[in-house]
Coordinates of all heavy atoms in Angstrom, one line a residue:
M1 N 4.1 -19.8 -15.2 CA 3.3 -19.3 -14.2 C 2.3 -20.4 -13.8 O 1.6 -21.0 -14.6 CB 2.4 -18.1 -14.7 CG 1.5 -17.5 -13.7 SD 0.6 -16.1 -14.2 CE 1.9 -15.0 -14.8
D2 N 2.3 -20.8 -12.5 CA 1.4 -21.9 -12.1 C 0.0 -21.3 -11.8 O -0.3 -20.2 -11.8 CB 2.0 -22.6 -10.8 CG 1.9 -21.8 -9.6 OD1 0.9 -21.2 -9.3 OD2 2.8 -21.9 -8.8
A3 N -0.9 -22.3 -11.6 CA -2.3 -21.9 -11.5 C -2.7 -21.0 -10.3 O -3.7 -20.3 -10.3 CB -3.2 -23.2 -11.4
T4 N -1.8 -21.0 -9.3 CA -2.1 -20.2 -8.1 C -1.7 -18.7 -8.3 O -2.1 -17.9 -7.5 CB -1.4 -20.7 -6.8 OG1 0.0 -20.7 -7.1 CG2 -1.9 -22.1 -6.5
Q5 N -0.9 -18.4 -9.3 CA -0.5 -17.1 -9.6 C -1.3 -16.4 -10.6 O -1.7 -17.1 -11.6 CB 1.0 -17.1 -10.1 CG 2.0 -17.5 -9.0 CD 3.4 -17.5 -9.6 OE1 3.6 -17.8 -10.7 NE2 4.3 -17.2 -8.7
R6 N -1.6 -15.1 -10.4 CA -2.4 -14.4 -11.4 C -1.5 -13.3 -12.0 O -0.6 -12.8 -11.3 CB -3.6 -13.7 -10.8 CG -4.6 -14.6 -10.3 CD -5.8 -13.8 -9.8 NE -5.6 -13.5 -8.4 CZ -6.2 -12.6 -7.7 NH1 -7.0 -11.8 -8.3 NH2 -5.9 -12.4 -6.4
R7 N -1.7 -12.9 -13.2 CA -1.0 -11.8 -13.8 C -1.6 -10.5 -13.1 O -2.8 -10.5 -12.8 CB -1.3 -11.7 -15.3 CG -0.5 -12.8 -16.0 CD -0.4 -12.6 -17.4 NE 0.5 -13.6 -17.9 CZ 0.6 -13.9 -19.2 NH1 -0.1 -13.3 -20.1 NH2 1.5 -14.8 -19.6
P8 N -0.8 -9.5 -12.9 CA -1.3 -8.3 -12.4 C -2.4 -7.7 -13.2 O -2.3 -7.7 -14.4 CB -0.1 -7.4 -12.3 CG 1.1 -8.3 -12.4 CD 0.7 -9.5 -13.2
V9 N -3.4 -7.2 -12.6 CA -4.5 -6.6 -13.2 C -4.6 -5.1 -12.6 O -4.7 -5.0 -11.4 CB -5.9 -7.3 -13.0 CG1 -7.0 -6.6 -13.6 CG2 -5.8 -8.7 -13.5
T10 N -4.7 -4.1 -13.5 CA -4.8 -2.8 -13.1 C -6.1 -2.2 -13.4 O -6.6 -2.3 -14.6 CB -3.7 -1.9 -13.7 OG1 -2.4 -2.4 -13.3 CG2 -3.7 -0.5 -13.3
H11 N -6.7 -1.5 -12.5 CA -8.0 -0.8 -12.6 C -7.8 0.6 -12.4 O -7.3 1.1 -11.4 CB -9.1 -1.4 -11.6 CG -9.4 -2.8 -11.8 ND1 -10.0 -3.3 -12.9 CD2 -9.1 -3.9 -11.0 CE1 -10.2 -4.6 -12.7 NE2 -9.6 -5.0 -11.6
L12 N -8.3 1.4 -13.4 CA -8.2 2.9 -13.3 C -9.5 3.3 -12.5 O -10.6 2.9 -12.8 CB -8.2 3.5 -14.7 CG -8.0 5.0 -14.8 CD1 -6.7 5.5 -14.0 CD2 -7.9 5.4 -16.2
V13 N -9.3 4.2 -11.5 CA -10.4 4.7 -10.7 C -10.6 6.2 -10.9 O -9.6 7.0 -10.9 CB -10.1 4.5 -9.2 CG1 -11.2 5.0 -8.3 CG2 -9.8 3.0 -8.9
G14 N -11.8 6.6 -11.2 CA -12.1 8.1 -11.3 C -13.5 8.3 -11.8 O -14.3 7.4 -11.9
R15 N -13.8 9.6 -12.2 CA -15.1 10.0 -12.6 C -15.3 9.7 -14.1 O -16.4 9.7 -14.6 CB -15.3 11.5 -12.4 CG -15.6 11.9 -11.0 CD -16.1 13.4 -11.0 NE -15.7 14.2 -12.1 CZ -14.7 15.1 -12.1 NH1 -14.0 15.3 -11.0 NH2 -14.5 15.9 -13.2
H16 N -14.3 9.7 -14.9 CA -14.4 9.6 -16.3 C -15.0 8.2 -16.8 O -14.7 7.2 -16.2 CB -13.0 9.8 -17.0 CG -13.1 10.1 -18.4 ND1 -13.2 9.1 -19.4 CD2 -13.0 11.3 -19.1 CE1 -13.2 9.7 -20.6 NE2 -13.1 11.0 -20.4
S17 N -15.7 8.2 -17.8 CA -16.4 7.0 -18.3 C -15.4 6.0 -18.8 O -15.7 4.8 -19.0 CB -17.4 7.3 -19.4 OG -16.7 7.9 -20.5
D18 N -14.1 6.4 -19.1 CA -13.1 5.4 -19.5 C -12.5 4.7 -18.4 O -11.7 3.7 -18.6 CB -12.0 6.1 -20.3 CG -12.4 6.6 -21.7 OD1 -13.4 6.1 -22.2 OD2 -11.6 7.4 -22.3
C19 N -12.8 5.0 -17.1 CA -12.3 4.4 -16.0 C -12.9 3.0 -15.8 O -14.1 2.8 -16.1 CB -12.5 5.2 -14.7 SG -11.5 6.7 -14.7
D20 N -12.2 2.1 -15.2 CA -12.7 0.7 -14.9 C -13.7 0.8 -13.7 O -14.6 0.1 -13.6 CB -11.6 -0.2 -14.6 CG -10.6 -0.3 -15.7 OD1 -11.0 -0.6 -16.8 OD2 -9.4 -0.1 -15.5
I21 N -13.3 1.6 -12.7 CA -14.1 1.8 -11.5 C -14.5 3.3 -11.5 O -13.7 4.2 -11.3 CB -13.3 1.5 -10.3 CG1 -12.8 0.0 -10.4 CG2 -14.1 1.7 -9.0 CD1 -11.8 -0.4 -9.3
I22 N -15.8 3.6 -11.8 CA -16.3 4.9 -11.9 C -16.8 5.4 -10.5 O -17.6 4.7 -9.9 CB -17.3 5.1 -13.0 CG1 -16.7 4.7 -14.3 CG2 -17.9 6.5 -13.0 CD1 -17.7 4.6 -15.5
V23 N -16.3 6.5 -10.1 CA -16.8 7.1 -8.8 C -17.4 8.5 -9.2 O -16.7 9.4 -9.6 CB -15.7 7.3 -7.8 CG1 -16.2 7.9 -6.5 CG2 -15.0 5.9 -7.5
S24 N -18.7 8.5 -9.1 CA -19.5 9.8 -9.4 C -19.5 10.7 -8.3 O -20.6 10.9 -7.6 CB -20.9 9.4 -9.9 OG -20.8 8.5 -11.1
D25 N -18.4 11.4 -8.0 CA -18.3 12.4 -6.9 C -17.5 13.5 -7.4 O -16.4 13.3 -8.0 CB -17.7 11.7 -5.7 CG -17.7 12.7 -4.5 OD1 -16.8 13.6 -4.5 OD2 -18.5 12.5 -3.6
G26 N -18.0 14.7 -7.3 CA -17.3 15.9 -7.8 C -15.9 16.2 -7.3 O -15.2 16.9 -7.9
T27 N -15.6 15.6 -6.1 CA -14.3 15.8 -5.5 C -13.3 14.8 -6.0 O -12.1 14.8 -5.7 CB -14.3 15.8 -4.0 OG1 -14.7 14.4 -3.5 CG2 -15.3 16.8 -3.4
V28 N -13.7 13.8 -6.8 CA -12.9 12.8 -7.3 C -12.4 13.2 -8.7 O -13.3 13.7 -9.5 CB -13.6 11.4 -7.4 CG1 -12.7 10.4 -8.1 CG2 -14.0 10.9 -6.0
S29 N -11.1 13.1 -9.0 CA -10.6 13.5 -10.3 C -11.1 12.6 -11.4 O -11.5 11.4 -11.1 CB -9.1 13.5 -10.3 OG -8.6 14.5 -9.4
R30 N -11.1 13.0 -12.7 CA -11.5 12.2 -13.8 C -10.7 10.9 -13.8 O -11.2 9.8 -14.1 CB -11.3 12.9 -15.1 CG -12.4 14.0 -15.3 CD -12.2 14.8 -16.5 NE -10.8 15.4 -16.5 CZ -10.0 15.5 -17.6 NH1 -10.5 15.0 -18.8 NH2 -8.9 16.0 -17.5
F31 N -9.4 11.0 -13.6 CA -8.5 9.8 -13.6 C -7.7 10.0 -12.3 O -6.7 10.6 -12.2 CB -7.6 9.8 -14.8 CG -8.3 9.7 -16.1 CD1 -8.4 10.9 -16.8 CD2 -8.9 8.6 -16.5 CE1 -9.1 10.9 -18.0 CE2 -9.6 8.5 -17.7 CZ -9.7 9.7 -18.5
H32 N -8.3 9.4 -11.2 CA -7.8 9.7 -9.8 C -6.7 8.8 -9.4 O -5.7 9.3 -8.8 CB -9.0 9.6 -8.9 CG -8.7 10.4 -7.6 ND1 -9.3 11.6 -7.4 CD2 -8.0 10.1 -6.5 CE1 -8.9 12.1 -6.2 NE2 -8.1 11.2 -5.7
A33 N -6.8 7.5 -9.6 CA -5.9 6.5 -9.0 C -5.9 5.2 -9.8 O -6.8 5.0 -10.6 CB -6.2 6.3 -7.5
E34 N -5.0 4.3 -9.5 CA -5.0 3.0 -10.0 C -4.9 2.0 -8.9 O -4.2 2.2 -7.9 CB -3.8 2.8 -10.9 CG -3.9 3.6 -12.2 CD -2.7 3.3 -13.1 OE1 -1.6 2.9 -12.6 OE2 -2.8 3.6 -14.3
I35 N -5.6 0.9 -9.0 CA -5.5 -0.2 -8.1 C -4.9 -1.4 -9.0 O -5.5 -1.8 -10.0 CB -6.8 -0.7 -7.5 CG1 -7.4 0.4 -6.7 CG2 -6.6 -2.0 -6.7 CD1 -8.8 0.1 -6.2
T36 N -3.8 -1.9 -8.6 CA -3.2 -3.0 -9.3 C -3.2 -4.2 -8.4 O -2.7 -4.2 -7.3 CB -1.7 -2.7 -9.7 OG1 -1.7 -1.6 -10.6 CG2 -1.1 -3.9 -10.4
L37 N -3.9 -5.3 -8.8 CA -4.0 -6.5 -8.1 C -2.9 -7.5 -8.5 O -2.7 -7.7 -9.6 CB -5.3 -7.2 -8.3 CG -6.5 -6.4 -8.0 CD1 -7.8 -7.1 -8.4 CD2 -6.6 -6.1 -6.5
S38 N -2.2 -8.0 -7.5 CA -1.1 -8.9 -7.7 C -1.2 -10.0 -6.6 O -1.1 -9.7 -5.4 CB 0.2 -8.2 -7.6 OG 1.3 -9.1 -7.6
S39 N -1.5 -11.2 -7.0 CA -1.7 -12.3 -6.1 C -2.9 -12.0 -5.2 O -3.9 -11.6 -5.7 CB -0.5 -12.7 -5.3 OG 0.5 -13.1 -6.2
D40 N -2.7 -11.9 -3.9 CA -3.8 -11.6 -3.0 C -3.7 -10.2 -2.4 O -4.3 -9.9 -1.4 CB -3.8 -12.7 -1.9 CG -2.6 -12.7 -1.0 OD1 -1.6 -12.1 -1.5 OD2 -2.6 -13.3 0.1
R41 N -2.8 -9.4 -3.0 CA -2.7 -8.0 -2.4 C -3.0 -7.0 -3.5 O -3.0 -7.2 -4.7 CB -1.2 -7.9 -2.0 CG -0.8 -8.9 -1.0 CD 0.3 -8.6 -0.1 NE 0.1 -7.4 0.6 CZ 1.1 -6.9 1.3 NH1 2.3 -7.5 1.4 NH2 0.9 -5.8 2.0
A42 N -3.4 -5.8 -3.0 CA -3.7 -4.7 -3.9 C -2.7 -3.7 -3.7 O -2.2 -3.4 -2.6 CB -5.1 -4.2 -3.6
I43 N -2.3 -3.1 -4.8 CA -1.4 -1.9 -4.8 C -2.2 -0.7 -5.3 O -2.7 -0.7 -6.3 CB -0.2 -2.1 -5.7 CG1 0.6 -3.4 -5.4 CG2 0.7 -0.9 -5.7 CD1 1.7 -3.8 -6.4
F44 N -2.2 0.3 -4.4 CA -2.9 1.5 -4.8 C -2.0 2.5 -5.3 O -1.0 2.9 -4.6 CB -3.6 2.1 -3.5 CG -4.9 2.8 -3.8 CD1 -6.1 2.1 -3.7 CD2 -5.0 4.1 -4.2 CE1 -7.3 2.7 -3.9 CE2 -6.2 4.7 -4.5 CZ -7.3 4.0 -4.3
L45 N -2.1 2.9 -6.6 CA -1.2 3.9 -7.2 C -1.9 5.2 -7.4 O -2.9 5.3 -8.0 CB -0.7 3.3 -8.5 CG 0.0 2.0 -8.5 CD1 0.3 1.6 -9.9 CD2 1.3 2.0 -7.7
S46 N -1.3 6.3 -6.9 CA -1.9 7.6 -7.1 C -1.5 8.2 -8.4 O -0.3 8.2 -8.7 CB -1.5 8.5 -5.9 OG -2.0 9.8 -6.1
N47 N -2.4 8.6 -9.2 CA -2.1 9.4 -10.3 C -2.0 10.9 -9.9 O -2.3 11.2 -8.8 CB -3.2 9.3 -11.4 CG -3.2 8.0 -12.1 OD1 -2.2 7.3 -12.1 ND2 -4.4 7.6 -12.6
R48 N -1.5 11.7 -10.8 CA -1.5 13.1 -10.6 C -2.9 13.7 -10.6 O -3.5 13.7 -11.6 CB -0.6 13.8 -11.6 CG 0.8 13.4 -11.5 CD 1.6 14.1 -12.5 NE 2.9 13.4 -12.6 CZ 4.1 14.1 -12.6 NH1 4.1 15.4 -12.6 NH2 5.2 13.4 -12.6
N49 N -3.4 14.1 -9.4 CA -4.7 14.6 -9.3 C -4.7 15.8 -8.3 O -3.8 15.8 -7.5 CB -5.7 13.5 -8.9 CG -5.4 13.0 -7.5 OD1 -5.7 13.7 -6.6 ND2 -4.9 11.8 -7.4
S50 N -5.6 16.6 -8.5 CA -5.7 17.8 -7.6 C -6.5 17.6 -6.4 O -6.5 18.4 -5.5 CB -6.2 19.0 -8.4 OG -7.5 18.7 -8.8
S51 N -7.2 16.5 -6.3 CA -8.1 16.2 -5.2 C -7.6 15.5 -4.0 O -8.1 15.4 -2.9 CB -9.4 15.5 -5.7 OG -9.9 16.2 -6.8
G52 N -6.4 14.8 -4.2 CA -5.8 14.1 -3.1 C -6.2 12.6 -3.0 O -7.3 12.2 -3.4
L53 N -5.4 11.9 -2.3 CA -5.6 10.5 -2.1 C -5.0 10.2 -0.7 O -3.8 10.5 -0.4 CB -4.9 9.6 -3.1 CG -5.0 8.1 -3.0 CD1 -6.4 7.6 -3.0 CD2 -4.2 7.4 -4.1
W54 N -5.8 9.6 0.2 CA -5.4 9.3 1.6 C -5.8 7.9 1.9 O -6.8 7.4 1.4 CB -6.0 10.2 2.6 CG -5.6 11.6 2.5 CD1 -4.6 12.3 3.1 CD2 -6.2 12.7 1.7 NE1 -4.5 13.6 2.7 CE2 -5.5 13.8 1.8 CE3 -7.3 12.7 0.8 CZ2 -5.8 15.0 1.2 CZ3 -7.6 13.8 0.1 CH2 -6.9 15.0 0.3
V55 N -5.0 7.2 2.8 CA -5.4 5.9 3.3 C -5.4 6.0 4.8 O -4.5 6.7 5.4 CB -4.3 4.9 2.9 CG1 -4.6 3.5 3.5 CG2 -4.4 4.7 1.3
A56 N -6.4 5.4 5.5 CA -6.5 5.4 6.9 C -5.5 4.4 7.5 O -5.6 3.2 7.2 CB -7.9 5.1 7.4
R57 N -4.5 4.9 8.3 CA -3.5 4.0 9.0 C -3.5 4.4 10.4 O -3.3 5.6 10.7 CB -2.1 4.2 8.3 CG -2.0 3.7 6.9 CD -1.8 2.2 7.0 NE -2.0 1.5 5.7 CZ -1.0 1.1 4.9 NH1 0.2 1.5 5.1 NH2 -1.3 0.5 3.8
S58 N -3.7 3.4 11.3 CA -3.6 3.7 12.8 C -4.5 4.8 13.2 O -4.1 5.6 14.0 CB -2.1 3.9 13.2 OG -1.3 2.8 12.8
G59 N -5.7 4.9 12.6 CA -6.6 6.0 13.0 C -6.3 7.3 12.5 O -7.0 8.3 12.8
Q60 N -5.4 7.5 11.6 CA -5.0 8.7 11.0 C -5.1 8.6 9.4 O -4.7 7.6 8.9 CB -3.6 9.1 11.4 CG -3.3 9.3 12.8 CD -4.0 10.5 13.4 OE1 -4.1 11.5 12.8 NE2 -4.5 10.4 14.6
W61 N -5.5 9.7 8.8 CA -5.4 9.8 7.3 C -4.0 10.1 6.9 O -3.4 11.1 7.3 CB -6.4 10.8 6.8 CG -7.8 10.4 6.9 CD1 -8.8 10.9 7.7 CD2 -8.5 9.4 6.2 NE1 -10.0 10.3 7.6 CE2 -9.8 9.3 6.6 CE3 -8.1 8.5 5.2 CZ2 -10.7 8.4 6.1 CZ3 -9.0 7.6 4.7 CH2 -10.3 7.6 5.1
V62 N -3.4 9.2 6.1 CA -2.1 9.4 5.6 C -2.1 9.7 4.1 O -2.8 9.1 3.3 CB -1.3 8.0 5.8 CG1 0.1 8.2 5.2 CG2 -1.2 7.6 7.2
V63 N -1.4 10.8 3.7 CA -1.4 11.2 2.3 C -0.7 10.1 1.6 O 0.4 9.6 1.9 CB -0.6 12.5 2.2 CG1 -0.4 12.9 0.7 CG2 -1.3 13.7 2.9
W64 N -1.3 9.7 0.5 CA -0.8 8.5 -0.3 C -0.1 9.1 -1.6 O -0.7 9.3 -2.6 CB -2.0 7.6 -0.7 CG -1.6 6.2 -0.8 CD1 -1.5 5.5 -2.0 CD2 -1.2 5.3 0.2 NE1 -1.1 4.2 -1.7 CE2 -0.9 4.1 -0.4 CE3 -1.0 5.4 1.6 CZ2 -0.5 3.0 0.4 CZ3 -0.6 4.3 2.3 CH2 -0.3 3.1 1.7
D65 N 1.2 9.4 -1.4 CA 1.9 10.0 -2.5 C 2.9 9.1 -3.2 O 3.7 9.5 -4.0 CB 2.6 11.3 -2.0 CG 3.5 11.0 -0.9 OD1 3.6 9.9 -0.4 OD2 4.1 12.0 -0.4
R66 N 2.8 7.8 -2.9 CA 3.7 6.8 -3.5 C 3.0 5.5 -3.7 O 2.1 5.2 -2.9 CB 4.9 6.6 -2.7 CG 4.6 5.8 -1.4 CD 5.6 6.1 -0.3 NE 5.3 5.3 0.9 CZ 4.2 5.3 1.6 NH1 3.2 6.0 1.3 NH2 4.1 4.5 2.7
P67 N 3.3 4.7 -4.7 CA 2.7 3.4 -4.8 C 3.1 2.5 -3.6 O 4.2 2.5 -3.1 CB 3.3 2.8 -6.0 CG 3.9 3.9 -6.8 CD 4.2 5.0 -5.8
D68 N 2.1 1.8 -3.0 CA 2.4 0.9 -1.9 C 1.3 0.0 -1.7 O 0.2 0.2 -2.2 CB 2.7 1.8 -0.6 CG 3.5 1.0 0.4 OD1 3.8 -0.2 0.3 OD2 3.9 1.7 1.4
Y69 N 1.5 -1.0 -0.9 CA 0.5 -2.0 -0.6 C -0.6 -1.5 0.3 O -0.3 -0.8 1.3 CB 1.1 -3.3 0.0 CG 1.9 -4.1 -0.9 CD1 3.3 -4.0 -0.9 CD2 1.4 -4.9 -1.9 CE1 4.1 -4.7 -1.8 CE2 2.1 -5.6 -2.8 CZ 3.5 -5.5 -2.7 OH 4.3 -6.2 -3.6
V70 N -1.8 -1.9 0.1 CA -2.9 -1.7 1.0 C -3.7 -3.0 1.1 O -3.7 -3.8 0.2 CB -3.9 -0.5 0.5 CG1 -3.2 0.8 0.5 CG2 -4.4 -0.8 -0.9
E71 N -4.5 -3.1 2.2 CA -5.3 -4.3 2.4 C -6.7 -3.9 1.9 O -7.1 -2.8 1.9 CB -5.4 -4.6 3.9 CG -4.0 -5.0 4.4 CD -3.3 -6.2 3.8 OE1 -4.1 -7.1 3.4 OE2 -2.1 -6.2 3.7
E72 N -7.5 -4.9 1.5 CA -8.8 -4.7 1.0 C -9.8 -4.0 2.0 O -10.6 -3.2 1.6 CB -9.5 -6.0 0.5 CG -8.9 -6.5 -0.8 CD -9.7 -7.7 -1.3 OE1 -10.9 -7.7 -1.2 OE2 -9.1 -8.5 -1.9
Q73 N -9.6 -4.2 3.3 CA -10.5 -3.6 4.3 C -10.1 -2.2 4.6 O -10.9 -1.5 5.4 CB -10.6 -4.5 5.5 CG -9.3 -4.5 6.4 CD -8.2 -5.5 5.9 OE1 -8.3 -6.1 4.9 NE2 -7.2 -5.6 6.7
E74 N -9.0 -1.7 4.1 CA -8.6 -0.4 4.5 C -9.5 0.7 3.9 O -9.9 0.6 2.7 CB -7.1 -0.1 4.1 CG -6.2 -0.9 5.0 CD -4.7 -0.5 4.8 OE1 -4.2 -1.0 3.8 OE2 -4.2 0.3 5.6
Y75 N -9.6 1.8 4.6 CA -10.4 2.9 4.1 C -9.5 3.9 3.3 O -8.3 4.1 3.7 CB -11.0 3.7 5.3 CG -12.2 3.1 5.9 CD1 -12.1 2.2 6.9 CD2 -13.5 3.3 5.3 CE1 -13.2 1.5 7.4 CE2 -14.6 2.7 5.8 CZ -14.5 1.8 6.9 OH -15.6 1.2 7.4
V76 N -10.1 4.4 2.2 CA -9.4 5.3 1.4 C -10.2 6.6 1.2 O -11.5 6.5 1.3 CB -9.0 4.8 0.0 CG1 -8.0 3.6 0.2 CG2 -10.2 4.3 -0.7
L77 N -9.6 7.7 1.0 CA -10.3 8.9 0.7 C -9.8 9.5 -0.6 O -8.6 9.7 -0.8 CB -9.9 9.9 1.9 CG -10.8 11.1 2.1 CD1 -12.2 10.8 2.3 CD2 -10.3 11.9 3.2
L78 N -10.7 9.5 -1.6 CA -10.5 10.0 -2.9 C -11.1 11.4 -3.0 O -12.3 11.5 -3.0 CB -11.1 9.1 -4.0 CG -10.7 7.6 -3.9 CD1 -11.8 6.8 -4.4 CD2 -9.5 7.4 -4.8
G79 N -10.3 12.4 -2.9 CA -10.9 13.8 -2.7 C -11.6 13.8 -1.4 O -11.0 13.6 -0.4
Q80 N -12.9 13.9 -1.4 CA -13.7 13.9 -0.1 C -14.6 12.6 -0.1 O -15.4 12.5 0.8 CB -14.6 15.1 0.1 CG -13.7 16.4 0.2 CD -14.6 17.6 0.4 OE1 -15.8 17.5 0.5 NE2 -13.9 18.7 0.3
Y81 N -14.4 11.7 -1.0 CA -15.2 10.5 -1.1 C -14.5 9.4 -0.3 O -13.4 8.9 -0.7 CB -15.4 10.1 -2.6 CG -16.2 8.8 -2.7 CD1 -17.6 8.9 -2.7 CD2 -15.6 7.6 -3.0 CE1 -18.4 7.8 -2.8 CE2 -16.4 6.5 -3.2 CZ -17.8 6.6 -3.1 OH -18.5 5.4 -3.2
Q82 N -15.1 8.9 0.8 CA -14.6 7.8 1.6 C -15.2 6.5 1.2 O -16.4 6.4 1.1 CB -14.8 8.1 3.1 CG -14.2 7.1 4.0 CD -14.4 7.5 5.5 OE1 -14.3 8.7 5.8 NE2 -14.7 6.5 6.3
T83 N -14.3 5.5 1.1 CA -14.7 4.1 0.8 C -13.7 3.2 1.2 O -12.7 3.6 1.8 CB -15.0 4.0 -0.7 OG1 -15.7 2.8 -1.0 CG2 -13.8 4.2 -1.6
T84 N -13.8 1.9 0.9 CA -12.8 0.9 1.2 C -12.3 0.4 -0.1 O -12.9 0.5 -1.2 CB -13.3 -0.3 2.0 OG1 -14.4 -0.9 1.3 CG2 -13.8 0.2 3.4
I85 N -11.1 -0.2 -0.1 CA -10.5 -0.9 -1.3 C -11.5 -2.0 -1.7 O -11.8 -2.1 -2.9 CB -9.2 -1.5 -1.0 CG1 -8.2 -0.4 -0.6 CG2 -8.6 -2.3 -2.1 CD1 -7.8 0.6 -1.7
S86 N -12.1 -2.8 -0.8 CA -13.0 -3.8 -1.2 C -14.2 -3.3 -1.9 O -14.7 -3.9 -2.9 CB -13.3 -4.7 0.0 OG -14.0 -4.0 1.0
D87 N -14.7 -2.2 -1.5 CA -15.9 -1.6 -2.2 C -15.5 -1.2 -3.6 O -16.3 -1.4 -4.5 CB -16.4 -0.4 -1.4 CG -17.6 0.3 -2.1 OD1 -18.6 -0.4 -2.3 OD2 -17.5 1.5 -2.4
L88 N -14.4 -0.6 -3.8 CA -13.9 -0.2 -5.1 C -13.8 -1.4 -6.0 O -14.2 -1.5 -7.1 CB -12.6 0.6 -5.0 CG -12.8 2.0 -4.4 CD1 -11.4 2.6 -4.2 CD2 -13.6 2.9 -5.3
L89 N -13.2 -2.5 -5.4 CA -12.9 -3.7 -6.2 C -14.2 -4.4 -6.6 O -14.3 -5.0 -7.7 CB -12.0 -4.6 -5.5 CG -10.6 -4.2 -5.3 CD1 -9.8 -5.1 -4.4 CD2 -9.9 -4.0 -6.7
R90 N -15.3 -4.3 -5.8 CA -16.6 -4.9 -6.2 C -17.1 -4.2 -7.4 O -17.9 -4.8 -8.1 CB -17.5 -4.7 -5.0 CG -17.4 -5.8 -4.0 CD -18.6 -5.8 -3.0 NE -18.7 -4.6 -2.1 CZ -18.1 -4.5 -1.0 NH1 -17.3 -5.5 -0.6 NH2 -18.2 -3.5 -0.3
R91 N -16.7 -3.0 -7.7 CA -17.2 -2.3 -8.9 C -16.4 -2.5 -10.1 O -16.8 -2.1 -11.2 CB -17.2 -0.7 -8.6 CG -18.0 -0.3 -7.4 CD -17.8 1.2 -7.3 NE -18.3 1.7 -6.1 CZ -18.4 3.0 -5.8 NH1 -18.0 3.9 -6.7 NH2 -18.8 3.4 -4.7
A92 N -15.3 -3.2 -9.9 CA -14.4 -3.5 -11.1 C -15.0 -4.5 -12.0 O -15.7 -5.4 -11.6 CB -13.0 -4.0 -10.6
P93 N -14.7 -4.4 -13.3 CA -15.2 -5.4 -14.3 C -14.5 -6.7 -14.0 O -13.4 -6.8 -13.4 CB -14.7 -4.8 -15.6 CG -13.6 -3.9 -15.3 CD -13.9 -3.3 -13.9
P94 N -15.1 -7.8 -14.4 CA -14.5 -9.1 -14.2 C -13.2 -9.2 -14.9 O -13.0 -8.7 -16.0 CB -15.5 -10.1 -14.7 CG -16.7 -9.3 -15.1 CD -16.4 -7.9 -15.0
A95 N -12.3 -9.9 -14.3 CA -10.9 -10.1 -14.9 C -10.9 -11.1 -16.0 O -11.7 -11.9 -16.2 CB -9.9 -10.5 -13.8

């Protein structure tokens, strides 16, 4: 692996204190989703949760029911909590 490549880093997102990125909102599940960073892209992975996960695409909220790439500036909806990928990543512990 050369110096420009990073190993994938996964951050668990949710209300639970064991999560890497804690979101204190009652509509967010304890273990709501995962963000996996690979090179310069983020992969948002939805866990099984009852609150839902959506990504804003072309002005519409899209149900996020499969792992796929998202950009840091994209808006996400965790339950009813709206934020961006970059805001969530700012809360992540240092790699």
Side-chain angles (χ1 to χ4, degrees):
M1 181 179 304
D2 72 41
T4 61
Q5 294 177 325
R6 291 185 272 161
R7 290 196 169 162
V9 176
T10 299
H11 298 290
L12 186 57
V13 181
R15 283 192 339 257
H16 198 276
S17 61
D18 286 346
C19 291
D20 303 304
I21 302 170
I22 298 172
V23 178
S24 299
D25 183 283
T27 66
V28 175
S29 297
R30 290 177 300 139
F31 302 101
H32 202 103
E34 292 178 340
I35 299 175
T36 300
L37 301 173
S38 173
S39 299
D40 62 346
R41 303 206 53 189
I43 302 172
F44 212 97
L45 303 175
S46 178
N47 286 338
R48 294 178 191 227
N49 65 73
S50 59
S51 304
L53 176 62
W54 294 268
V55 174
R57 291 278 166 98
S58 302
Q60 302 288 323
W61 287 111
V62 177
V63 175
W64 211 251
D65 56 1
R66 72 207 184 296
D68 204 350
Y69 290 102
V70 292
E71 301 296 330
E72 284 191 36
Q73 71 277 8
E74 286 188 283
Y75 283 91
V76 294
L77 198 58
L78 304 146
Q80 294 179 9
Y81 181 79
Q82 182 177 321
T83 189
T84 61
I85 297 294
S86 60
D87 179 59
L88 291 171
L89 290 174
R90 276 194 290 276
R91 301 179 193 191

